[in-house]
Each structure stands twice: as structure tokens, then as C-alpha cells.
Amino acid sequence: MSRNLYLIVAFFICFCISTKAQTDSINWLDEVQLSDVKLKNNSEGQFVKELSDSVIKQSEPLLTSVLKFNSPFFFRENGYGMVSSASVRGTGAAQTAVIWNGININSQFTGQTDFNTINTAVFDNISLKPGGGSVVYGSGAIGGTIHLNNEFSFDGGQSNELRFGLGSFATYQTSYKGDYSNEKTNLKIGVSGISSENDYPYLDVGEKNENGDFYNLALNASVAHWLGDSNILKFYSNYYQGERGFSGTLNLPSNSKYEDFNSRNLLEWKSFLGNFTSSLKLAWISEKFKYFENRDSENFSFGNAETAIIKYDLAYDFSDNKTINLIVDYNGVIGDGTGIENAERQIGGFSLLWSDEIQDFNYQLSLRQEITENYDSPLLFSAGATYNFSKNYSIRFNSSRNFRIPTFNDLFWLEGGNTNLDPETSIQAELGNTLILSDFKINLAAYFMDIEDLIRWTPDDSGVWRPQNTSKVQNYGLEAFVTWSKVLAGNELNLSANYAFTKAINQENQNQLIYTPLHKATLSAGYEVKNFSIHVQSLYNGKIYTSSDNNYELDPYQLANLRVGYVFTSDPEIILRVGADNIFNENYQSLPSRIMPGRSYNSTLTINF
Amino acid sequence: MKFKHSLLFLLALLFLNSCDDDNDCCLPAGPGDEFETGVFVLNEGNFGSANSSVSYIDELVQVNQPAIFSNVNGSSLGDTAQSIEMHEDIAIIVVNVSNKIEIVNRYTFESLATISSNLSNPRYAEVIGDNIYVSNWGDGMNPGDDFISVFKLSDYSFNQSIPVAEGPEKMIELNDDLYVAHIGGFSFNNIVSHIETETNSVTNEIEVGDRPNSMVIQGNDIWVLSSGKPSYADEETAGVLSRIDAGTDEVVADFQFPENSIHPENLNIAGGSAYLTIEKSLYKYDFNGELPDTPEYSFDEVSVLYGFEINDSKIYIASPRADFTGDGDLYIYDLNDGSLLDNYAVGINPNGVYFN
């Protein structure tokens, strides 16, 4: 990575010397600023919740910590900093796609993203989009998508942010974010690291979390540069390295260790030619892991996968309101590892996106067909519409077919991999509405999805565990996102609440899926008085079943975090925040026997200059 | 874990044989005893969840008591209990992932001792003379660290450890010596090792079929059933039934199943015949040199054939749910005609059946 970074910096320092005024870029603002324009322009009939920079700053840097208090999604955690996966609208871990600057980064081996291997401090914003999205984002976008984005601006500004943190259980974090721009070029650099001994006591039992130590380091560089008046080059690079002891459980000691090395690079060349917008993207993604069952030994198992993506997207604006996109892409992956040999997948894809605005009525239709030798790919579609009754009320509808393709482990795992698997497919629909009542903004959605051919690993008659397209699940539920802003005593009070009611019913036995709560709610509030600020985050997770016969369950729990901030000086801005997590010292588990931390303390010092 | 194991019937059989000239085991149960006669089902629970348990079933009076270890002792049995060895008035419970052995009174299930050192990935226990022998896989990824640990029966203290070839699994006693089937752990192995208990050293490694999974004794012979390598191996191999002459430690006969896709398990003896399972069907072998090619009958109710024992003309099958979550079942069949006699709900992921 460091070599990449130096090259980029050197390259752009040379080019920045000669700058030229930029014209006509206003119309293309979104195309220029956003790394993932489709999230804004092609999510008709769906709700996109953006978590602001300030929410990210108030939270711990691991993605799980940010989202569990700021989304209606449920997280299954093996412990603080340990393996963590999301359940969005009652779906499984591989049915939520994590999208980095428009590119799906779910693991080729497991089909999921470990939310504790994403360090959020290097991103500009995080967006959540519940609902299907496979037409644009590919495999796994069934329950929803989570977007990690970097944005550009050409305002000639320069900013730097340094942050240092110290917390309980020898947790240290530090990050730097730099943003330098002129009219032609914007360079952004983010570096973030966190380490923790993570030896928190298990409440009520007198033991502590052993072998849970971890560190990770993330580097992100993004740069955009205008070539002439109508061509822009954007380059994004992300590198992540992490090492974790896998902590044991209550009765299970562990001495294992896991190392991750992920790198993602994306180059985009965008051209504006009259009514045409052309985008060529090249991406190179590498994921590597090493697992040491015994961290004191040299023996490990491993996996490597390299992904290359070429994507060409041509948009034509028939008018201000009608746009068509034609997308052709190629995705090639090779992988190997312990128990996996010569894993290879090549996918060609064609997509057609149509969007139209007729006064207060917007609609979009999109289709995608993939072609691959590994399995039969279904025709994917999405159809969405929004009708704005007034400025304060709108209603939206979206229906889509989405899929989750078999992973390398599913297909090629030597002990049972099944090359005859089909993708999991879903047909889903949602109806939502947005209501703005003076200070309130309320988003309410009801959804239904029917997921077929779920891939499950079960033993066959001779006892060999193999994945099969066996189960069928129907999910339905309600989702609410509410925000409220009010000036009280001359200062703004901000409230934000999320709620999800989730039914995920296995069609064989009509039981609720395991590890899927019926209720999840979050509530956060922030208030500032002069130099002081106070911020409270809380969540409620309902009980979850831990067995498919619903005979076993884990208790519901409530958590609350408190942060108090003080601004010492404004130029440079120096902010000290101190806080306590889990202030009521709740003893809770989101997976059986995986005890989560009780009350802990943290502090951060932020310097903006 | 994901490996089948059910030779314990044989151990029980041996034990019963030894009872004939050893009255200790047949002392009447004392006051407060609850489990004098009946069936124990060992439920391994979920890996990493520390929810192993033992169910107690008395067929005569239709009693079905869950979680007797924790009810009696007030503490959890641990994580992924693998097997139980019954010896005289004790039951030795090997708890694989917790790396420990719980020793209880087999009639009351009151805890007598916990052994939690000198074990690494323990699988099965066997008592010979004054010692408890425990097979250990060590690190799953390390083929060179497998061993048999030896503890004193008198005070459960550690005696010594015997390094052995990869993947020691079930063990059996013959002529006061120990025979260990090396299934191969997470890999594959194809030997039975002979450990002389006088010196606690390996005297012979006898090559049998791939993945020996169960053994029975007939006279001075050890019959070893190997399942063969599974379909995901580099080369799939057929199951083999081998007869070892314990006098010479030589394989004097072996019979290979006709197709590489046939992987037999659960060798048992009852009424002078041997029985084994292929997938969910029962096959009978009459020691006549011809492997059976047609099943006696199938166990259609069973979702996963995970634990298998024959006792008193009845077949006991421990069957987890297909997805290995939630409560499993104990199915009891008539050995003569395969008819289902009874079934009981047991704990999470039952893997073995034992008898008092």
C-alpha cells in the first residue's frame, strides 16, 4: 500500500502545480462528488439512510459499533472486535452486501463481510439501504446494502484531523484524515488504527475474556483529478490489515489467531459528452486470511482470492428527467487456500437501467442478466416508484428479484463443496412512505420477501457436510426511521430512532429463523450548549432463538452509551470527548456463550486544523 | 463433533462380561440413587456454546429427564461432550472442546472429579487395570502431536502420556492390552495400534482399511470396521472389514465392500451376529466370509444417524436435527424386524447412548 500511496501523492503534487478554472461542472455535481452515484440515482422506491460524519465520530471506529446503535439491523457478535455479521430484515449474514465506493466487497470465501474488519474512520460517510439491490450491487444484496463512501470536492480547501483515543481494557486508537483540494484536484488520505487487549471481565461469573486481543490498521487514499473540462479521473485505494486472537467462550478456552489482509483499488474514468455520461471502472480487490488454530504454532490454514472487475457504464439523458444506462461488466475471481484448489469464477453481466420523472411521479425499471459457467444465473430486476403528494408526504414502492451466488467455500471446499449449487434467489416488495411534520421526519416501510434455494450446510446420508439448495424462507416486517430536530433554549436537540419488526419464517416448520430478533430499536440523542455537547446512544434487541425448533433462546437486552464533549479552542479546533459504553453494565450475548463487555470507558482527543 | 462414534456398546459389553467375575459393579444402588437402570443419551450440544448435556430415560416407566449432570451438580457439563466410558460404578465423560473429563457416580451422576490437564482434543476413554486411557488428537492441524494420556484410576492423577500416530479414536481392551483405532482426526489414517499396558508403549501398528471407526472382539480376534475415505478425499475408497488375530497382531482376513461409495460404520455384535450401518440402513454379517449386500431394514424416522447401539435386542439411535440446532431424538427399534418401538425427545445434538 505505502508504495501506491507515495506514487499517488507524488503524481498529484506534480500535476497540481498547473491548475485551470473548471466550468460546467455544476450539472455533474453528483457524478463528480460521489463515488457511488447509483446509490442516489438508482434507489427509487427505497430508503437510503445516510449516517453523517458526526455520527461516525461519536462512535467507536469498528463498523459493528457504528451500526448497531444507528440502524435497525441486528448484529451477531462473537465478542467485542471478534467476528461479526449483520442480519438485515431477518436475512442471513451472506444476504447483506457491503459496498465500498460502489464495489461489492463481501468475501469470496464466505459471501459475507465481517463487520469488525471494517475500520470506519477512513470513510466520509456510511449509508444504509434496506431492501434488494442485486441489479446494481450484485450478490448478497437481498436484505440490504451497507455503503462505505468517499466523496470529492474542489473547493480549494485543506483540512486535517487528528484523533487519539484511550479506553478500558488497554484500547488505543488513532486516526488521521487529510483533505487537500484545488479547482482541479482533490486528494484525501485517511489512516486509522485500533488495538485492544480486550480482556474484559465476564459479568457475574468472575472470568475474563481471554485471547481476545486485536489490532487493525486501515489506510484509505482517494484522489480525483480533472483532465480538461469534461473528463475526470478518480482513484480510490483501501488497505486493511488486522490480527485478532479469537476469544474463547464461557467454557471454551481458545488459543487461535486470525489475520486479515485486504486491499481494494478502484480507478474510474468519467467523461461528460453532451447528453452522454460515460464511466469506465477498473477494480482490483485482494482478500487474504490466515487462521492459526494454535497461535503459538507455525501451522495455519489460509485463503487468497483476487478479483478483477471491469465495468463500462454509458448513460444517456433524453431530457432532464429521462435517463437510460447501459452497463456491461466483467468480473473474474481466482482463489486458493486450505481445502480449496483452483477456484475460479468468471461472470459477464449486462444491465439496463431506465429512470423517468413525470412531475411528482418518479419511476425506475432495471434489469440485469449475468452469464457464468459456475451456475445458472436468474434474470434480476428492480422496479421502483415514488409519488410525492406534497413536499411533506411521499409514498414509494419497490419490487425486485435479487440473489446470493454460491461462495467459493460452497462450490469448491474439498470436504463437501458442491459445484451443482444454484444461487439463492429472492422476490421481494416493499411499500414505504416519508412524512415530514415540522421537526419530525418519519420513514416507514413494510416489506415482504420470499427467498428460495437457501444454501445450507447439512450432513448427507453418509455424514459428509455438504451445502444444498434446501430451505425456503419468507420474511416480512416493518421498519421505521425517525429523526427529530428542535431548538431548545437556543440550542439544537437532535433525536434519532430506528425500529424494526422482523418475521423470518422457515417454510418447513413455520418457526422463526435462529438469531433473528422480532424487535430491534435504537434511540440516540445529542444536545450542545456552548462548548459542551452530550450524546446518548441506546438500543434494544429482542430475544433470539438459538435453535431451529425455537426451544432455546437468548434473553433480550438494552444497552446505553453516554458521551460528553468539550471544545477547548476553535482554531485549531480541539475537542475532548469522554464516555462510558454500556452504562447500565448489562450482561448480554448476541450469540450463545459469547459474553459481551460490561461497562467500559473511553476518551478521545480530536484536533482539526 | 462431526464424527460418528458408537463402539461404546462394545465397551459396555466388555464391562458386563467382566462383571460376571467382579461383583463391584453390581452392588445395589444406595439411598438417593436415581439412575439405577435406564438409558443415558449424551448430547454434545453446539460447538462453542458449552451446552452439552446428558438425558436419562427409563423406558419401563417412561421417564425422560433432561440435563441430569447440571441438575445434580449445579454446573454445566461443558462444550461438545464426545463420549462416556462406563466402568464399575463410575461414568467417565469426555468433553472434547472443553478439554476435560468429568467423572461421576453412574448411579447418582454426582461429580467425583474433573480432569482438565494433560488433555488436548480428547475423544474416548477406556479403563484397563488401574489406569484410565484417553485418546487425544492434539492440534487438529498437526499430525504429529497425537497421544494417549494415562491417568490413575485411584486418584485420577496424571500418570503419563503415550505419543501415537495421527487421529486416535475408539479404544478396546483385549488380554489387558489396549487397541486403538486411528481414524485420523481431521485427516485420514488406517491403522490400529497395540499398546502394551505393562510398559505403556506402542508395540505394533496394524494396517487396516481407511478410517477405522469401530471394533468388536470375538474370541481372540479383533474385528475392525473401516469406513473408507469419503467422497471429498483425494481418492474415495470403499469400507473394509478386517479381522486381526490378537495373538500375532496380523490381519488374517479382510473384506472390502464392492463400491468405493460404500462407507460402513457402527460395527456391533449381538446374538452371535455382527451388525453394521451403511447410511441409514442396517446390515447383518454372520462371520461367514461374505459381506452382506442387502440391508435388513432402514431407519426412516432418523434424520441423522449420529449415535448407534444395540442392547437387549433393541437398537438405540441418537439423531440430531438435520441442521444440528435444537433438540434431537432417541429412536428405539426392534432388532428383529426394525419396527419402531419408541422415541424420546432428548437434548441438543445427541451423539451416543449408554446403559445402566
Side-chain angles (χ1 to χ4, degrees):
Chain A
M1 120 32 251
S2 47
R3 194 162 143 258
N4 275 354
L5 204 62
Y6 292 140
L7 284 174
I8 300 154
V9 174
F11 179 79
F12 280 100
I13 284 172
C14 299
F15 273 75
C16 299
I17 297 166
S18 70
T19 59
K20 198 175 82 175
Q22 199 57 65
T23 55
D24 205 22
S25 59
I26 301 301
N27 296 339
W28 312 326
L29 203 58
D30 285 345
E31 299 278 358
V32 170
Q33 285 188 333
L34 305 180
S35 58
D36 184 7
V37 188
K38 298 276 182 297
L39 179 63
K40 186 170 181 188
N41 294 348
N42 293 76
S43 300
E44 200 64 68
Q46 294 179 301
F47 177 60
V48 178
K49 162 99 176 169
E50 183 179 321
L51 302 182
S52 66
D53 201 33
S54 70
V55 168
I56 299 173
K57 280 180 189 156
Q58 294 283 1
S59 303
E60 300 265 328
L62 301 179
L63 184 57
T64 309
S65 309
V66 176
L67 294 183
K68 77 175 176 181
F69 285 99
N70 296 290
S71 80
F73 308 155
F74 176 65
F75 285 85
R76 302 155 181 166
E77 290 177 89
N78 277 358
Y80 177 63
M82 301 293 106
V83 172
S84 161
S85 65
S87 173
V88 177
R89 292 185 167 178
T91 60
Q95 293 164 344
T96 297
V98 175
I99 310 297
W100 169 77
N101 289 314
I103 303 285
N104 188 323
I105 56 167
N106 279 11
S107 164
Q108 299 296 333
F109 295 102
T110 62
Q112 51 186 277
T113 291
D114 180 344
F115 283 72
N116 278 330
T117 64
I118 302 287
N119 190 316
T120 57
V122 298
F123 302 113
D124 297 326
N125 78 62
I126 296 169
S127 295
L128 320 174
K129 192 178 83 154
S134 284
V135 169
V136 175
Y137 298 110
S139 176
I142 294 177
T145 46
I146 289 160
H147 301 259
L148 314 169
N149 290 328
N150 293 99
E151 293 177 356
F152 292 115
S153 65
F154 301 87
D155 55 10
Q158 175 179 335
S159 70
N160 296 281
E161 181 197 86
L162 260 176
R163 188 171 150 178
F164 305 97
L166 181 63
S168 300
F169 322 122
T171 304
Y172 304 97
Q173 48 162 306
T174 181
S175 66
Y176 166 76
K177 268 173 102 167
D179 183 347
Y180 323 93
S181 74
N182 57 32
E183 289 172 328
K184 262 195 107 148
T185 304
N186 183 197
L187 170 65
K188 289 184 149 186
I189 290 172
V191 183
S192 178
I194 180 170
S195 76
S196 178
E197 282 303 313
N198 201 21
D199 53 351
Y200 54 85
Y202 290 168
L203 299 175
D204 308 333
V205 290
E207 289 172 44
K208 63 178 188 174
N209 193 47
E210 287 184 29
N211 198 49
D213 57 296
F214 69 89
Y215 86 85
N216 65 61
L217 178 68
L219 297 152
N220 207 88
S222 43
V223 57
H225 180 69
W226 282 96
L227 300 169
D229 291 344
S230 54
N231 285 281
I232 185 168
L233 272 182
K234 300 182 188 180
F235 180 71
Y236 306 85
S237 183
N238 179 273
Y239 179 82
Y240 174 91
Q241 180 182 341
E243 181 180 315
R244 292 181 281 183
F246 273 173
S247 63
T249 70
L250 205 47
N251 284 25
L252 159 60
S254 163
N255 192 33
S256 60
K257 183 176 83 169
Y258 198 85
E259 297 176 355
D260 287 284
F261 313 88
N262 297 322
S263 73
R264 294 136 190 159
N265 295 287
L266 168 64
L267 178 67
E268 181 179 18
W269 171 31
K270 199 160 244 183
S271 301
F272 305 95
L273 306 158
N275 290 337
F276 286 98
T277 303
S278 145
S279 155
L280 177 67
K281 282 183 176 176
L282 304 172
W284 185 265
I285 299 170
S286 155
E287 67 172 287
K288 292 184 182 156
F289 71 83
K290 283 184 181 175
Y291 171 68
F292 297 77
E293 185 190 354
N294 177 354
R295 68 193 298 171
D296 302 321
S297 101
E298 297 294 310
N299 296 323
F300 62 85
S301 54
F302 72 101
N304 294 324
E306 307 278 342
T307 305
I309 300 169
I310 304 169
K311 182 184 263 189
Y312 185 72
D313 180 342
L314 185 65
Y316 180 75
D317 295 322
F318 289 95
S319 66
D320 282 352
N321 306 327
K322 292 188 198 331
T323 306
I324 191 164
N325 286 68
L326 249 170
I327 303 169
V328 182
D329 53 74
Y330 165 83
N331 184 313
V333 193
I334 50 170
D336 68 330
T338 310
I340 291 198
E341 281 171 11
N342 305 322
E344 189 180 342
R345 171 155 64 210
Q346 299 193 60
I347 301 172
F350 305 91
S351 311
L352 195 61
L353 317 178
W354 167 256
S355 63
D356 190 6
E357 270 178 49
I358 307 166
Q359 293 177 334
D360 294 323
F361 179 72
N362 309 337
Y363 74 95
Q364 285 173 351
L365 301 169
S366 10
L367 288 174
R368 175 171 175 80
Q369 178 67 57
E370 292 189 351
I371 298 164
T372 179
E373 287 183 354
N374 295 74
Y375 48 82
D376 291 327
S377 211
L379 177 68
L380 306 173
F381 72 84
S382 172
T386 305
Y387 185 77
N388 298 304
F389 286 94
S390 70
K391 268 199 304 199
N392 297 329
Y393 184 68
S394 65
I395 188 163
R396 59 193 147 81
F397 173 79
N398 181 280
S399 177
S400 57
R401 178 195 263 165
N402 306 286
F403 72 162
R404 193 276 271 193
I405 64 177
T407 65
F408 275 5
N409 287 353
D410 294 332
L411 293 167
F412 303 117
W413 186 250
L414 289 178
E415 301 182 12
N418 178 357
T419 50
N420 295 321
L421 288 173
D422 285 323
E424 299 176 347
T425 56
S426 75
I427 293 273
Q428 55 203 77
E430 67 179 278
L431 188 63
N433 49 82
T434 303
L435 178 65
I436 298 169
L437 280 174
S438 64
D439 308 320
F440 270 106
K441 192 170 182 193
I442 300 166
N443 257 287
L444 199 63
Y447 62 86
F448 174 83
M449 55 181 128
D450 185 286
I451 312 177
E452 285 192 334
D453 290 332
L454 262 86
I455 296 171
R456 292 272 187 265
W457 284 72
T458 51
D460 66 11
D461 281 345
S462 46
V464 178
W465 286 69
R466 307 199 72 190
Q468 310 275 2
N469 292 103
T470 58
S471 320
K472 189 169 150 61
V473 171
Q474 287 183 353
N475 296 18
Y476 58 92
L478 291 173
E479 241 166 27
F481 297 84
V482 179
T483 56
W484 186 59
S485 296
K486 180 87 180 169
V487 175
L488 281 181
N491 300 294
E492 194 165 83
L493 173 68
N494 288 299
L495 284 176
S496 169
N498 303 307
Y499 170 73
F501 169 77
T502 309
K503 282 285 217 181
I505 304 298
N506 182 340
Q507 295 303 294
E508 277 163 49
N509 55 17
Q510 297 301 314
N511 286 339
Q512 175 88 347
L513 291 192
I514 59 173
Y515 308 143
T516 310
L518 276 184
H519 305 281
K520 152 105 197 233
T522 71
L523 179 65
S524 60
Y527 189 64
E528 287 181 24
V529 184
K530 293 184 184 162
N531 289 356
F532 283 98
S533 67
I534 183 163
H535 195 84
V536 180
Q537 296 179 322
S538 61
L539 70 77
Y540 170 82
N541 272 324
K543 74 172 180 193
I544 56 172
Y545 294 111
T546 60
S547 66
S548 58
D549 56 14
N550 289 4
N551 283 355
Y552 296 87
E553 61 190 50
L554 284 179
D555 293 336
Y557 53 90
Q558 280 167 288
L559 304 175
N561 301 337
L562 178 69
R563 297 267 187 293
V564 177
Y566 183 76
V567 182
F568 286 96
T569 62
S570 56
D571 191 22
E573 191 182 45
I574 299 178
I575 310 166
L576 178 68
R577 289 189 183 92
V578 294
D581 284 355
N582 193 359
I583 48 180
F584 300 118
N585 213 24
E586 176 97 345
N587 184 358
Y588 73 104
Q589 304 168 27
S590 62
L591 286 173
S593 297
R594 299 287 185 173
I595 311 270
M596 296 296 291
R599 187 185 302 120
S600 66
Y601 302 96
N602 57 65
S603 58
T604 58
L605 183 71
T606 308
I607 306 165
N608 290 306
F609 57 100
Chain B
M1 301 178 61
K2 299 165 193 167
F3 298 91
K4 300 194 195 158
H5 24 64
S6 349
L7 173 78
L8 272 288
F9 153 75
L10 196 275
L11 301 178
L13 195 89
L14 272 179
F15 160 65
L16 288 172
N17 285 340
S18 67
C19 279
D20 292 343
D21 39 46
D22 181 352
N23 289 325
D24 284 4
C25 74
C26 304
L27 285 175
D33 295 349
E34 293 180 65
F35 313 117
E36 300 97 293
T37 59
V39 180
F40 299 106
V41 177
L42 184 62
N43 308 296
E44 68 183 30
N46 304 111
F47 179 83
S49 291
N51 55 0
S52 296
S53 66
V54 178
S55 302
Y56 168 73
I57 288 155
D58 188 334
E59 294 170 75
L60 285 178
V61 289
Q62 295 280 308
V63 162
N64 183 359
Q65 269 185 273
I68 59 170
F69 179 91
S70 54
N71 287 344
V72 170
N73 298 300
S75 62
S76 153
L77 177 56
D79 203 305
T80 315
Q82 174 67 27
S83 63
I84 304 180
E85 159 71 350
M86 298 290 195
H87 176 76
E88 298 186 348
D89 56 356
I90 63 171
I92 303 166
I93 310 170
V94 182
V95 189
N96 175 262
V97 174
S98 296
N99 278 312
K100 68 171 184 176
I101 290 173
E102 292 285 354
I103 297 163
V104 298
N105 179 312
R106 71 187 279 180
Y107 302 110
T108 64
F109 256 67
E110 278 162 12
S111 175
L112 302 172
T114 303
I115 299 173
S116 53
S117 53
N118 301 297
L119 297 168
S120 177
N121 220 334
R123 305 291 300 171
Y124 287 84
E126 172 73 359
V127 177
I128 299 179
D130 298 329
N131 288 319
I132 304 172
Y133 293 81
V134 181
S135 54
N136 292 270
W137 285 0
D139 269 6
M141 294 176 190
N142 185 346
D145 66 345
D146 303 46
F147 62 98
I148 305 293
S149 41
V150 188
F151 300 91
K152 288 181 190 152
L153 190 56
S154 52
D155 59 359
Y156 310 122
S157 62
F158 177 62
N159 187 338
Q160 71 175 107
S161 105
I162 309 166
V164 295
E166 189 178 16
E169 184 82 340
K170 287 180 178 165
M171 296 173 290
I172 199 166
E173 180 204 346
L174 182 60
N175 305 328
D176 288 334
D177 275 356
L178 185 69
Y179 288 83
V180 184
H182 293 259
I183 198 165
F186 292 120
S187 179
F188 312 116
N189 208 341
N190 64 344
I191 61 167
V192 170
S193 55
H194 175 182
I195 293 176
E196 224 174 58
T197 53
E198 208 155 287
T199 58
N200 280 340
S201 59
V202 178
T203 58
N204 265 315
E205 291 186 343
I206 307 152
E207 196 169 308
V208 293
D210 293 319
R211 291 185 74 79
N213 61 62
S214 44
M215 298 181 285
V216 297
I217 287 172
Q218 210 202 29
N220 202 39
D221 290 340
I222 304 166
W223 289 82
V224 182
L225 183 64
S226 306
S227 55
K229 288 188 194 173
S231 54
Y232 57 78
D234 46 356
E235 184 191 6
E236 189 171 9
T237 56
V240 177
L241 181 64
S242 311
R243 177 181 166 190
I244 298 172
D245 178 344
T248 60
D249 279 356
E250 300 274 344
V251 174
V252 291
D254 59 5
F255 310 98
Q256 184 162 344
F257 285 81
E259 305 282 341
N260 283 349
S261 59
I262 299 179
H263 304 298
E265 293 184 307
N266 297 311
L267 183 62
N268 275 254
I269 291 184
S273 296
Y275 294 88
L276 54 89
T277 62
I278 297 172
E279 297 185 347
K280 286 182 204 163
S281 296
L282 185 82
Y283 291 75
K284 186 178 179 184
Y285 175 63
D286 285 323
F287 298 107
N288 58 4
E290 297 248 335
L291 288 178
D293 54 6
T294 50
E296 300 293 308
Y297 41 81
S298 294
F299 308 108
D300 298 331
E301 293 82 4
V302 169
S303 82
V304 183
L305 198 159
Y306 206 48
F308 178 94
E309 296 296 336
I310 300 175
N311 188 49
D312 194 17
S313 290
K314 288 188 273 190
I315 294 171
Y316 295 77
I317 294 177
S319 168
R321 295 281 161 111
D323 65 356
F324 277 72
T325 73
D327 290 333
D329 297 286
L330 173 70
Y331 292 101
I332 303 172
Y333 293 90
D334 188 329
L335 176 63
N336 297 318
D337 59 8
S339 59
L340 182 64
L341 300 174
D342 218 338
N343 66 300
Y344 295 87
V346 292
I348 302 172
N349 298 340
N351 66 10
V353 187
Y354 307 90
F355 303 94
N356 258 3

